[in-house]
Amino acid sequence: MDVFEKLKILTDAAKYDAACTSSGANRKANKGGIGSAEACGICHSFAGDGRCISLLKILMTNVCIYDCKYCVNRVSNDTRRAAFTPRELADLTINFYKRNYIEGLFLSSSIIKNPDYTCENMIKTLRILRDEYNFSGYIHAKAIPGADSKLIDELGLLADRMSVNIELPSQKSLKLLAPDKSKNSILMPMNHIQNRIKENSKDIVVYKHAPKFVPAGQSTQMIVGATPDTDFQILNLAESLYSKFKLKRVFFSAYMPVVQNSLLPEIHTKPPLLREHRLYQADWLLRFYGFKASELLDDNNQSFNPYIDPKCNWALNHMELFPVDVNTASYKALLRVPGIGVNSAKRIITTRRAVKLDFSGLKKLGVVLKRAQYFITCSGKLSYGVKINEDSVLRSLMSDKTLDAFRNNLPAEAAPKQLSFFDNSLLLKEDIRKCLTGQM
Ligand code: SF4
């Protein structure tokens, strides 16, 4: 098989891994237009300074000894198999880099022969790139669960970022759908990487030229919707991964049916994209807004409201905490107001040291007044004409189209999906009534 064939097979096989910022979008250019997106091949990641980096996203091989039920590469699935040699993959990467197609590499692999052998092949590839070609570009490498910790160490000294996919949210689900994996075998390398990052940060202080170990940190990915695990379980798990292993990101991947198995949802099931979106919004709240998973969901309320984003949902459930006055409220309290993001909260704190803020001033600071006005006052005054009643709050939280969809009892999926943090979505009338009357 020639390298081009292998490239086609192994970029296509890598596209289901969501542990990067872009993947899976497929869009051809319109006639006369420019640009197109391919679901596989190149993905994107963001550097610490905000730069977008394009990466060749590829598997070393899709030959796998494991049988994860949801995976197109599982041993029992009849699919075309291919494997790169380390030399082939390193040459391919460097040639793409020289042609300016990519700025780095996202390297993963199925488990060929055993985890150690797989990891060794990845190390050989990165060694050729780093030592022979002197390649200093960004490399994201998957840590292979079950591989020897010495190999993980070696890989970590060659890569910028590593990730260990947690795959499914619970041990029970792993046992069901990925019987060759266990929570322990996944958490052990994660823990090891975290410990090595900690040690390395001390070494760097003492020895200026100490080699860096995974300088861009580690991340993980989990599949949402293939098993009955709830949003609450998933968010709790994400929270504990952030706190125990200091992960940079937890990526959620809406389950995409690509293979048939009696243990999986039907093959024609649509990926739960709205659910994935709500989880990303909640993840944002955990990382930047100081929320805890237990504030957003609880045992009696284990799933996110599909009609409204988690921050608005939380605010409506806690109307007793509002309105807050923008001229006196703490940074933490401002962050909890729908329509006030991290940047605008910081601007409010800085600006109010010099002047008293009013509603027109808030708009200039980037506050989304359409939402925020129901939850704030400026020097004790509500925004002119604002009435806090069901209809006005509902209108502030939804676009006309979604409100129509809601009123006509269309399912949540029928509402337009906007990938902004403060998107407009449907909201259950009953929820609003309960929130505003404090009955929740
Ligand atoms: S280990 Fe499981 S998820 Fe990974 S490639 Fe093999 S079958 Fe797929």
Side-chain angles (χ1 to χ4, degrees):
M1 187 184 288
D2 68 16
V3 172
F4 187 67
E5 262 313 284
K6 290 185 188 180
L7 180 68
K8 271 208 289 198
I9 295 171
L10 294 171
T11 50
D12 192 62
K15 73 182 175 197
Y16 301 107
D17 194 321
C20 58
T21 309
S22 78
S23 55
N26 223 346
R27 193 178 45 255
K28 294 268 168 279
N30 295 326
K31 203 175 172 197
I34 53 168
S36 65
E38 284 287 339
C40 58
I42 309 269
C43 70
H44 299 91
S45 197
F46 287 93
D49 59 5
R51 255 179 334 118
C52 179
I53 310 169
S54 46
L55 307 171
L56 171 63
K57 186 178 182 186
I58 200 158
L59 297 187
M60 240 3 272
T61 176
N62 65 344
V63 178
C64 196
I65 55 168
Y66 288 173
D67 200 31
C68 308
K69 306 290 179 254
Y70 48 83
C71 179
V72 74
N73 301 321
R74 69 179 198 220
V75 63
S76 59
N77 193 37
D78 184 17
T79 187
R80 282 188 82 198
R81 307 283 172 174
F84 278 118
T85 64
R87 171 67 56 188
E88 281 172 341
L89 189 49
D91 285 355
L92 198 68
T93 307
I94 214 71
N95 283 327
F96 279 175
Y97 184 80
K98 284 180 180 167
R99 286 186 175 90
N100 219 5
Y101 295 168
I102 54 161
E103 290 164 282
L105 175 67
F106 182 113
L107 181 60
S108 183
S109 182
S110 298
I111 317 289
I112 184 168
K113 289 190 187 170
N114 57 56
D116 284 353
Y117 179 79
T118 309
C119 200
E120 277 162 12
N121 271 342
M122 292 171 75
I123 292 169
K124 279 184 200 158
T125 310
L126 301 200
R127 279 235 170 279
I128 300 173
L129 279 170
R130 294 291 197 215
D131 299 344
E132 203 174 301
Y133 290 119
N134 234 344
F135 178 68
S136 300
Y138 180 88
I139 296 179
H140 180 146
K142 285 268 158 199
I144 305 294
D148 192 280
S149 51
K150 284 198 182 108
L151 294 173
I152 303 271
D153 284 354
E154 215 177 324
L155 195 62
L157 288 169
L158 295 163
D160 293 281
R161 172 168 286 190
M162 285 181 86
S163 52
V164 193
N165 282 359
I166 198 132
E167 305 284 13
L168 294 164
S170 64
Q171 172 62 32
K172 199 173 151 202
S173 302
L174 278 171
K175 205 169 163 190
L176 188 72
L177 297 184
D180 306 296
K181 296 178 179 171
S182 69
K183 208 171 166 189
N184 251 355
S185 71
I186 294 166
L187 295 184
M188 260 165 61
M190 225 181 237
N191 191 30
H192 183 74
I193 293 169
Q194 169 56 15
N195 289 339
R196 288 286 291 116
I197 291 175
K198 249 203 262 171
E199 280 168 28
N200 187 244
S201 61
K202 287 181 198 153
D203 291 350
I204 285 170
V205 175
V206 183
Y207 311 104
K208 203 174 155 206
H209 296 292
K212 287 184 182 156
F213 184 87
V214 195
Q218 60 169 331
S219 58
T220 193
Q221 179 219 2
M222 68 179 106
I223 301 167
V224 174
T227 50
D229 303 288
T230 63
D231 292 345
F232 188 39
Q233 282 171 288
I234 293 172
L235 204 63
N236 268 323
L237 176 61
E239 186 176 68
S240 81
L241 291 174
Y242 282 127
S243 85
K244 276 192 199 147
F245 304 120
K246 306 281 172 270
L247 296 194
K248 292 287 174 193
R249 284 298 299 270
V250 175
F251 290 93
F252 305 103
S253 171
Y255 169 67
M256 221 180 278
V258 284
V259 278
Q260 207 125 27
N261 190 285
S262 57
L263 296 170
L264 293 169
E266 288 292 309
I267 194 90
H268 44 76
T269 312
K270 277 192 185 160
L273 291 173
L274 185 57
R275 190 175 168 200
E276 177 196 274
H277 178 47
R278 291 281 175 251
L279 281 164
Y280 273 123
Q281 290 176 318
D283 173 81
W284 202 260
L285 294 177
L286 297 185
R287 290 186 299 136
F288 300 108
Y289 286 75
F291 279 88
K292 295 261 172 277
S294 53
E295 290 179 280
L296 299 170
L297 293 170
D298 54 46
D299 285 334
N300 301 322
N301 212 352
Q302 300 225 7
S303 298
F304 285 113
N305 186 340
Y307 300 95
I308 190 168
D309 75 65
K311 191 182 185 189
C312 288
N313 200 36
W314 176 86
L316 285 164
N317 287 338
H318 293 86
M319 284 308 273
E320 73 283 359
L321 302 176
F322 298 103
V324 296
D325 197 287
V326 288
N327 284 304
T328 53
S330 66
Y331 175 68
K332 206 177 150 198
L334 288 172
L335 275 184
R336 296 198 164 214
V337 176
I340 297 185
V342 173
N343 285 342
S344 35
K346 283 182 185 160
R347 286 187 205 127
I348 289 172
I349 298 286
T350 314
T351 314
R352 75 186 186 189
R353 285 188 198 126
V355 284
K356 280 244 177 289
L357 288 165
D358 56 17
F359 284 94
S360 65
L362 287 177
K363 207 169 176 179
K364 288 180 197 150
L365 296 181
V367 173
V368 184
L369 279 181
K370 195 181 171 207
R371 276 156 194 273
Q373 62 187 344
Y374 297 91
F375 304 96
I376 54 172
T377 55
C378 288
S379 305
K381 287 183 197 147
L382 274 171
S383 178
Y384 180 73
V386 162
K387 286 188 197 114
I388 302 186
N389 59 39
E390 179 186 322
D391 200 56
S392 51
V393 178
L394 210 73
R395 283 192 174 281
S396 79
L397 296 173
M398 295 181 197
S399 68
D400 291 346
K401 269 189 188 167
T402 45
L403 195 56
D404 280 353
F406 164 66
R407 286 188 168 143
N408 291 319
N409 270 337
L410 295 175
E413 285 71 21
K417 296 173 194 72
Q418 298 168 21
L419 291 176
S420 85
F421 179 58
F422 298 109
D423 70 334
N424 288 326
S425 311
L426 289 170
L427 181 63
L428 289 172
K429 246 182 183 178
E430 187 57 22
D431 289 338
I432 292 271
R433 192 171 299 116
K434 282 181 182 172
C435 298
L436 293 177
T437 53
Q439 298 304 305
M440 261 182 147

